Amino acid sequence: MSDIIPLSQIEHEAPQGLPTSAPVIPLRNVVVFPGTITPLRFNKPENVAAIEAAVDSDQHVVLVWQEDPEIEKVTPDALPKVGTLTRLVRVTRQGDDLTVVAQARERVRFDTYTQEEPFLQASFKVMLNHLPKDDGAYWEAAMRNLRASAFRLIELDEDIPTEAEQVLRQIEDPVLLTDVLASNLKLDMDQRQRLLEQSNVQHRLEVVQKILSEQLNIAELQKKLRDDMHTE
């Protein structure tokens, strides 16, 4: 699983002091969720220029999924309206490449692209996470069910490191839990982007639970088939 920001609770209102404009970097085959730390490598000149500009400014960029990976020169109309505001934790150069450790912070919705050369830059607004007013018994039950399903999948899926269970046990916040699971479940890019664009946390939780249950059913069936083969 992805490395997780060591927070058990996060604010559901936009944190103060975040930028309202930043360089925008399209990513092929990656949707980055808030609450995760992601290692990335860049070598396209416009992306390297964007990273260098951020390093010289406030260390922030917006990462956004590039839906068509075949496009070499990406323009704003080829990108979704929602991306992830990300802080550059570490940047190192290896030849012409930049290796970045990126701490994803908030969902953002683009307002206006303010430049396209030498790299994309846009203004944006942070998207708030909307929780139900009554977050008592329902949330406790939903969180327990989600976490129990995740633990069972970790137990059955050999591709998931056992350390993932310890990470999940430390997360009490439904916003962070759904984002961490969404970033690690086997989803196609469209599904990931739709979850990123969803500000309703209850809806996100229900979608993640449904996907997790489907993958758990498959893992249970695979285990049964393996067990049946061993008994023959």
Side-chain angles (χ1 to χ4, degrees):
M1 297 181 75
S2 302
D3 294 328
I4 308 304
I5 300 172
L7 297 175
S8 59
Q9 300 291 327
I10 57 178
E11 295 294 330
H12 301 303
E13 296 181 357
Q16 300 299 312
L18 292 178
T20 57
S21 176
V24 177
I25 300 181
L27 299 178
R28 292 183 172 101
N29 302 316
V30 178
V31 174
V32 175
F33 285 89
T36 60
I37 294 178
T38 306
L40 299 165
R41 178 172 289 185
F42 300 100
N43 55 25
K44 291 179 66 175
E46 57 267 38
N47 292 339
V48 170
I51 295 292
E52 291 173 339
V55 169
D56 291 339
S57 180
D58 59 12
Q59 312 290 320
H60 283 83
V61 297
V62 178
L63 301 177
V64 60
W65 173 48
Q66 178 182 330
E67 184 173 359
D68 185 351
E70 301 301 319
I71 299 176
E72 285 298 324
K73 187 62 176 177
V74 182
T75 57
D77 58 2
L79 296 173
K81 301 299 184 185
V82 172
T84 307
L85 181 64
T86 305
R87 186 174 72 87
L88 304 177
V89 177
R90 185 169 68 244
V91 179
T92 57
R93 184 178 291 276
Q94 298 176 328
D96 294 331
D97 296 354
L98 290 182
T99 300
V100 171
V101 177
Q103 174 187 313
R105 302 189 66 182
E106 299 287 342
R107 291 167 167 79
V108 297
R109 185 176 298 278
F110 296 116
D111 284 333
T112 306
Y113 279 85
T114 54
Q115 73 174 48
E116 295 187 31
E117 297 290 347
F119 53 84
L120 295 174
Q121 174 119 359
S123 60
F124 50 80
K125 289 185 175 64
V126 172
M127 295 173 59
L128 301 183
N129 291 297
H130 299 293
L131 290 163
K133 292 182 180 179
D134 180 9
D135 61 351
Y138 171 83
W139 277 114
E140 183 178 354
M143 289 281 286
R144 285 184 178 181
N145 191 41
L146 190 64
R147 193 177 277 112
S149 298
F151 291 159
R152 180 57 177 162
L153 185 61
I154 291 169
E155 180 183 346
L156 293 173
D157 193 331
E158 297 177 354
D159 293 333
I160 302 177
T162 55
E163 296 83 0
E165 180 174 343
Q166 183 178 357
V167 171
L168 290 179
R169 288 191 185 279
Q170 297 172 356
I171 301 175
E172 300 294 335
D173 190 284
V175 173
L176 186 57
L177 182 61
T178 53
D179 281 342
V180 168
L181 288 174
S183 69
N184 288 282
L185 289 172
K186 297 171 183 176
L187 309 176
D188 62 37
M189 291 298 107
D190 286 324
Q191 287 177 304
R192 293 181 186 276
Q193 183 64 29
R194 286 197 297 272
L195 281 168
L196 184 69
E197 294 179 2
Q198 178 57 250
S199 61
N200 185 306
V201 181
Q202 180 175 340
H203 180 77
R204 287 207 307 258
L205 187 148
E206 290 169 351
V207 171
V208 171
Q209 178 65 70
K210 181 176 183 294
I211 295 168
L212 185 54
S213 297
E214 291 170 351
Q215 295 188 8
L216 184 56
N217 287 339
I218 293 173
E220 294 276 15
L221 179 58
Q222 290 174 328
K223 180 180 183 301
K224 183 178 184 303
L225 290 172
R226 289 195 300 269
D227 292 345
D228 289 346
M229 290 178 63
H230 291 156
T231 57
E232 289 179 358

